[in-house]
Amino acid sequence: MLAALRPREGTLILPVLLLVSLASTAYGTEGVAGEGATAVTSAAEPGGILEVLSFYGCAILTVVCALGVCASKNIVRMAVWLFGALGAVALLYFLMAANFIGAIQLIVYVGGTLILLVFGVMLTTKSPWVRFEAKRWELIGAGVVCLALLVCLCTVLCRTAWHAAEGAMPGAAVAEIGRSLLTTYLVPFEVAGVLLMIVMVGAAHLARQEKKS
Amino acid sequence: MTQFSVPWIQKSERTNYGFPVKALGVAVFFAIVAVVGYWVAGTLLNGHPVAWLLLVIAPALTAGAAAGAAFFVKTWGMWPPVLLRVAIILLVGAFVASCFGVWAVHMLFEWVEVGAVAHAANDPAVTTWFGAPLTLAEISGAFPEMLPDFLSPLVWPLQFPIVRDVISMVTLIVFFTIVPVFAIWWERKVAGRIQSRLGPMRVGKWHGWAQSPADGIKLVLKEDLVPAEADGPLFRLAPFFAIIPSAAAYMVLPFGATYLFRDLDVSLVFILALLGVEVMAVILGGWASNNKWSIYGGMREACQMISYEIPMGMALLVPVVCVGSLNLRVIGEYQAGGWFSWLAFDNPFTFIAFVAYFVASLASCKRAPFDLPEAESELVAGFLTEYSGFRWALFFFAEYAAMFVVCGLAVILFLGGWHSPLPVAWGDKVIELLGDNLLARGVNGLLFSGPLWFVMKATFFLFVQIWIRWTLPRIRIDQVLYACVQVLLPLTMVLLLGTTLWVWASSSDSSGWAMFDQVVSWLLGLIGAVFPIGFVAIAAHGFYHRRRLVGNLVIDPLPGS
Amino acid sequence: MFPPEFDNLLYVGLQHYLVVGAVLFVSGLFTMMTKRNAIGILIGVELVLNSASLNLVAFDRYLGPGRLDGQIMALFVIVLAAAEAALAVGICINLYKNLATMDVDQAADLRG
């Protein structure tokens, strides 16, 4: 009878919507009236309670999904956990007012790369429950190494006195990104285009039918 | 209306816990919320009556409304007809009142943000609850003629953006739920009319309007079936990957210049990103069913969706090049000058881009005539095979909600958004006539620009999508991919190039080109005007010449008669 | 609303984002080290690249007003990760065609 009180899956919608909307506006993007952030909006201050809550929510989601990728044994479930991790990272980008990068992350990574990975999984899985497991000692060794690395990294990151500027920093507008892609970063832009063409040729070559000989 | 009762179906033991237990669960949950709210009100706010109002009474009211609705549904068959008619009149009245309510609340939000902030507190020694800039006295003192004193405690919480956000989000969620309900009913009526029949007529006194809500209730009451061999958590998760992007897209869709929930400067790319996430739902739904036909159908459908995202994105970039911003609100405001300033008639490339975008969006929504994966699936199976009841309803809701979003994008990017065909500048004359008051703003909203125009235009394109579905035959999967890669993709590339060159030519200060641009724009506007005028003329002609059969049954004349 | 001692807790600094990036990196590393499925290794690579992008954007946001170098670098990282994933999935599918398994431990033809 207690199971009747367990929250149904429908309750997922509202928190996710709230999280997405909070994450996208916890910094100086405009509110309902379309004007710039006025003094009323507490979200415009640095370190407001809203931003902290959104950050911890998104960060915990990212960490949980990343650990889920490590811990799951089924390859499709790993892909779904990766989807969660990528989506949560996109939310973090929105929180840092890097709206364009967040949207590009969702389009390219989630809507492109992840779909590609999942297609790859489905074309190469004999049965959903086939698992390759690493040996016990491999897991423990890798876990120890990774934990040690994590501890080192976190210690270094938290103890370094970064020259971080205080205060709210609005992200660059999309127009500036576009302009700098065509002026300052023109060469990497063109090289990336050539590289994408090479990748297209390579993928087409890899996918061609073998000649029956 | 024939009386019918909704049978409380005997479900399997796993899913049937009985109505009293569910009601008890809801009541306990809200009781906990009320207790927590009492504690918060008592300690943080010193028991202020306003806090009581918000934190205690509001959840209690919601619980009461939920319990009342559940009771009404359970005892449907026992109500006498008179009471039912009264209830229906109240429902319709509530709907109309809620439309006005949305408008009034929006006015209130604007007033609180823009007007009352001008009177913000300048005295730092005065401490206020939650760090609010305005005290109660200031609110009631700010606009005494508009706001009676006893209402100012109700307005006080509106100065916090989180409160405004929650109210706006609830409105959006209600809208986003009503759109599929209406669209499903309308599709069945339009499909019936196209097939020389009437569509649903029984459920609800007038043209079966209650068919959709009745179907919704039926789907909720169905057994919650998960196949034993299916991947349980993924199977349950897939509908949410479908519906969350569709819902989140409404957050950035501008219904009006200020009727937006969030004004992102990359809102167009945000919506494209969300439509890309929906592909994952299809794949997961197909795979998690553990059914070969589901997997094949799901992968084919996902392949079609992602293929058509490319021409869709490129066709959407065409008006962006004309306007110079990815912000949907800015693109909408660019088209404020009446019919001929709409981006679809700006240059011939945007005109064709509108058509290309519409076709690509049909395919991306897995909608006719590109619904081969679904249709073949009607004969065999599909990614929706194992889904029944509310999970299927969620997928369906997501599809119709995404259809509305895609139509809304077409309207904002190509057809003027929330503006009417009359230029907004004429609205100033109305303000001169009537003065700058609520009446003038209401008239301007109806005539020149307002959320009603956006909804009407988007609904018209929803109708065009339904019309196309029931008129054209399906095309095969190889034809689908041919159309994408060998027709739409080069076409949209050429359109993007052409628009860029056109805009570059317009940026040069040549008066000859400016005149040429203006003439082309007028020509395209006239060609574009042929379509709605022709549509209205043909519809009027058909309506005028319809025949009446014996017994008030109206059918349209068959072709050839 | 809160007493002033809470002010330090109400600030999200650069270290917070960097720690999240570090956790992502380490999870990706663990996945690369322990999974035997070729696509599992690819998923680890994606996590590592994501952590790098997150770091880039976090530094971009916290180290000075109006900079966008980090965002552009993150953009390039995302694009290149997508390209590399495409090719890698192609290679994995060819591996499957040749060996009928996705287990990378079986791909040992060149050993000895």
Side-chain angles (χ1 to χ4, degrees):
Chain A
M1 176 180 132
L2 276 178
L5 299 177
R6 105 183 150 210
R8 295 278 159 185
E9 300 105 26
T11 50
L12 258 183
I13 299 184
L14 271 178
V16 174
L17 270 184
L18 194 63
L19 206 58
V20 171
S21 71
L22 288 178
S24 73
T25 58
Y27 260 94
T29 52
E30 288 86 335
V32 175
E35 311 281 324
T38 62
V40 177
T41 56
S42 60
E45 307 158 5
I49 183 78
L50 218 58
E51 190 210 349
V52 171
L53 279 179
S54 310
F55 170 76
Y56 277 110
C58 297
I60 291 175
L61 192 63
T62 316
V63 166
V64 163
C65 290
L67 294 177
V69 171
C70 302
S72 82
K73 301 186 173 59
N74 182 359
I75 185 75
V76 179
R77 295 227 180 132
M78 261 166 68
V80 176
W81 284 117
L82 182 68
F83 169 82
L86 295 177
V89 168
L91 288 180
L92 283 175
Y93 288 149
F94 281 115
L95 197 60
M96 288 194 267
N99 292 338
F100 186 64
I101 303 295
I104 293 291
Q105 160 99 355
L106 281 175
I107 290 182
V108 173
Y109 249 124
V110 174
T113 308
L114 187 67
I115 307 280
L116 187 64
L117 284 171
V118 172
F119 265 85
V121 162
M122 289 184 190
L123 288 175
T124 58
T125 310
K126 280 188 198 154
S127 109
W129 304 110
V130 161
R131 306 171 180 183
F132 318 118
E133 294 201 18
K135 304 187 195 52
R136 196 69 182 233
W137 66 269
E138 280 180 5
L139 279 173
I140 295 179
V144 164
V145 166
C146 290
L147 264 180
L149 183 63
L150 181 66
V151 167
C152 289
L153 274 176
C154 288
T155 321
V156 166
L157 291 172
C158 294
R159 296 226 176 136
T160 315
W162 305 105
H163 293 284
E166 305 266 334
M169 222 74 60
V174 185
E176 283 176 39
I177 293 181
R179 209 170 289 129
S180 70
L181 272 179
L182 288 176
T183 52
T184 321
Y185 291 94
L186 180 61
V187 174
F189 183 60
E190 298 296 331
V191 168
V194 171
L195 185 121
L196 283 174
M197 190 181 69
I198 294 174
V199 165
M200 235 184 353
V201 170
H205 171 80
L206 278 175
R208 70 187 158 96
Q209 305 279 348
E210 292 294 332
K211 290 202 201 83
K212 309 270 185 191
S213 57
Chain B
M1 180 188 323
T2 53
Q3 297 206 358
F4 62 96
S5 65
V6 175
W8 213 251
I9 309 169
Q10 276 299 335
K11 296 184 278 273
S12 69
E13 193 191 325
R14 199 163 59 98
T15 54
N16 184 14
Y17 294 105
F19 175 71
V21 173
K22 283 179 182 143
L24 183 67
V26 167
V28 165
F29 172 73
F30 279 114
I32 294 176
V33 168
V35 164
V36 168
Y38 172 85
W39 174 76
V40 168
T43 56
L44 286 185
L45 299 170
N46 299 323
H48 193 270
V50 173
W52 267 97
L53 188 73
L54 293 175
L55 294 169
V56 176
I57 300 179
L61 275 181
T62 321
F71 179 70
F72 187 68
V73 164
K74 178 147 173 75
T75 55
W76 180 264
M78 304 182 218
W79 292 90
V82 170
L83 221 55
L84 275 174
R85 283 185 190 125
V86 167
I88 288 167
I89 291 174
L90 282 178
L91 200 69
V92 171
F95 178 71
V96 171
S98 62
C99 292
F100 275 105
V102 166
W103 181 65
V105 165
H106 181 81
M107 290 289 145
L108 199 59
F109 284 3
E110 278 192 32
W111 172 76
V112 169
E113 270 201 35
V114 176
V117 170
H119 298 263
N122 292 320
D123 187 0
V126 173
T127 53
T128 50
W129 297 301
F130 290 107
L134 301 172
T135 58
L136 272 176
E138 278 175 341
I139 289 182
S140 39
F143 289 99
E145 71 272 7
M146 267 180 72
L147 197 67
D149 259 357
F150 67 91
L151 281 185
S152 52
L154 280 181
V155 176
W156 178 86
L158 288 183
Q159 63 185 297
F160 297 106
I162 182 91
V163 173
R164 293 201 301 267
D165 280 349
V166 168
I167 296 179
S168 309
M169 199 151 53
V170 168
T171 318
L172 264 184
I173 290 179
V174 167
F175 181 77
F176 147 78
T177 315
I178 289 180
V179 161
V181 167
F182 167 72
I184 293 172
W185 168 79
W186 206 22
E187 162 142 32
R188 294 175 67 165
K189 294 300 281 185
V190 168
R193 287 294 179 162
I194 290 178
Q195 297 168 351
S196 295
R197 58 183 177 88
L198 286 169
M201 294 290 287
R202 235 171 231 280
V203 184
K205 190 83 169 157
W206 180 79
H207 279 278
W209 66 269
Q211 181 72 48
S212 270
D215 278 341
I217 296 174
K218 171 203 78 170
L219 286 168
V220 167
L221 295 178
K222 270 194 177 179
E223 180 179 357
D224 181 12
L225 192 64
V226 175
E229 291 291 323
D231 192 349
L234 289 187
F235 186 84
R236 291 178 171 91
L237 200 56
F240 296 104
F241 284 169
I243 203 161
I244 289 176
S246 305
Y250 283 80
M251 277 181 357
V252 297
L253 209 55
F255 287 79
T258 52
Y259 286 81
L260 318 173
F261 186 63
R262 281 296 177 252
D263 187 16
L264 297 179
D265 57 346
V266 291
S267 43
L268 180 63
V269 185
F270 185 72
I271 293 188
L272 278 178
L274 291 174
L275 293 177
V277 171
E278 285 204 44
V279 184
M280 192 68 190
V282 170
I283 295 182
L284 267 189
W287 189 85
S289 306
N290 199 19
N291 176 349
K292 279 196 180 55
W293 306 113
S294 298
I295 298 178
Y296 290 157
M299 300 222 337
R300 222 184 240 194
E301 202 145 340
C303 171
Q304 174 187 306
M305 282 172 85
I306 57 176
S307 306
Y308 274 90
E309 268 173 29
I310 306 172
M312 187 164 98
M314 288 215 278
L316 283 176
L317 280 181
V318 168
V320 168
V321 166
C322 292
V323 175
S325 166
L326 283 173
N327 192 343
L328 285 176
R329 177 186 57 88
V330 169
I331 297 177
E333 284 172 356
Y334 183 87
Q335 303 171 68
W339 181 268
F340 296 99
S341 79
W342 288 359
L343 279 172
F345 313 124
D346 188 67
N347 59 52
F349 299 105
T350 44
F351 196 72
I352 305 175
F354 171 56
V355 176
Y357 165 71
F358 200 68
V359 170
S361 71
L362 276 181
S364 189
C365 282
K366 10 184 211 325
R367 209 45 213 172
F370 301 99
D371 60 352
L372 181 72
E374 280 178 9
E376 185 184 59
S377 319
E378 282 167 25
L379 306 172
V380 185
F383 82 95
L384 284 175
T385 317
E386 306 283 358
Y387 284 95
S388 64
F390 197 59
R391 300 182 204 282
W392 182 84
L394 278 183
F395 269 113
F396 223 51
F397 265 46
E399 177 176 328
Y400 282 92
M403 269 169 66
F404 186 84
V405 167
V406 148
C407 295
L409 269 187
V411 162
I412 293 172
L413 283 159
F414 292 100
L415 291 176
W418 56 89
H419 297 290
S420 78
L422 308 169
V424 164
W426 295 3
D428 295 338
K429 297 200 182 83
V430 172
I431 294 186
E432 278 174 26
L433 276 178
L434 295 173
D436 191 7
N437 51 18
L438 278 179
L439 178 65
R441 295 183 75 161
V443 169
N444 272 351
L446 281 178
L447 280 183
F448 300 113
S449 79
L452 193 65
W453 279 100
F454 175 80
V455 172
M456 267 173 27
K457 283 192 258 186
T459 316
F460 174 72
F461 280 103
L462 205 67
F463 167 71
V464 172
Q465 285 197 346
I466 296 174
W467 185 9
I468 292 178
R469 175 183 186 178
W470 293 101
T471 310
L472 296 179
R474 281 184 194 104
I475 64 180
R476 288 193 319 263
I477 189 73
D478 63 313
Q479 290 171 332
V480 165
L481 292 173
Y482 172 88
C484 171
V485 175
Q486 301 202 27
V487 174
L488 277 182
L489 196 60
L491 178 68
T492 48
M493 285 183 190
V494 163
L495 291 174
L496 196 55
L497 184 66
T499 301
T500 314
L501 291 174
W502 189 284
V503 168
W504 178 60
S506 301
S507 69
S508 67
D509 293 318
S510 141
S511 67
W513 179 267
M515 194 157 36
F516 174 67
D517 192 9
Q518 191 67 271
V519 165
V520 165
S521 188
W522 282 340
L523 264 178
L524 288 172
L526 286 173
I527 295 175
V530 164
F531 288 100
I533 294 177
F535 175 79
V536 168
I538 294 176
H541 174 85
F543 189 75
Y544 181 69
H545 287 286
R546 74 195 193 286
R547 284 189 296 149
R548 278 195 179 273
L549 290 188
V550 174
N552 266 349
L553 185 65
V554 178
I555 66 167
D556 308 313
L558 293 171
S561 60
Chain C
M1 170 169 93
F2 294 107
E5 290 87 46
F6 282 132
D7 278 349
N8 284 337
L9 288 181
L10 288 184
Y11 179 69
V12 176
L14 179 60
Q15 285 94 328
H16 296 81
Y17 287 103
L18 295 182
V19 163
V20 173
V23 171
L24 271 176
F25 180 82
V26 163
S27 327
L29 196 63
F30 183 80
T31 311
M32 276 199 278
M33 284 202 273
T34 55
K35 302 294 176 192
R36 279 164 61 179
N37 195 327
I39 298 203
I41 300 178
L42 266 180
I43 290 178
V45 172
E46 298 303 324
L47 277 177
V48 168
L49 287 167
N50 258 287
S51 104
S53 311
L54 187 64
N55 271 9
L56 284 169
V57 177
F59 275 106
D60 177 71
R61 181 228 176 277
Y62 276 97
L63 288 187
R67 294 166 71 116
L68 40 72
D69 304 316
Q71 289 189 30
I72 301 216
M73 281 194 261
L75 186 66
F76 281 116
V77 166
I78 290 174
V79 165
L80 293 176
E84 155 274 319
L87 268 184
V89 167
I91 293 176
C92 292
I93 292 183
N94 270 346
L95 181 79
Y96 182 74
K97 273 195 216 159
N98 285 329
L99 291 180
T101 177
M102 285 295 274
D103 190 352
V104 292
D105 281 355
Q106 308 284 338
D109 284 344
L110 286 179
R111 187 187 297 165

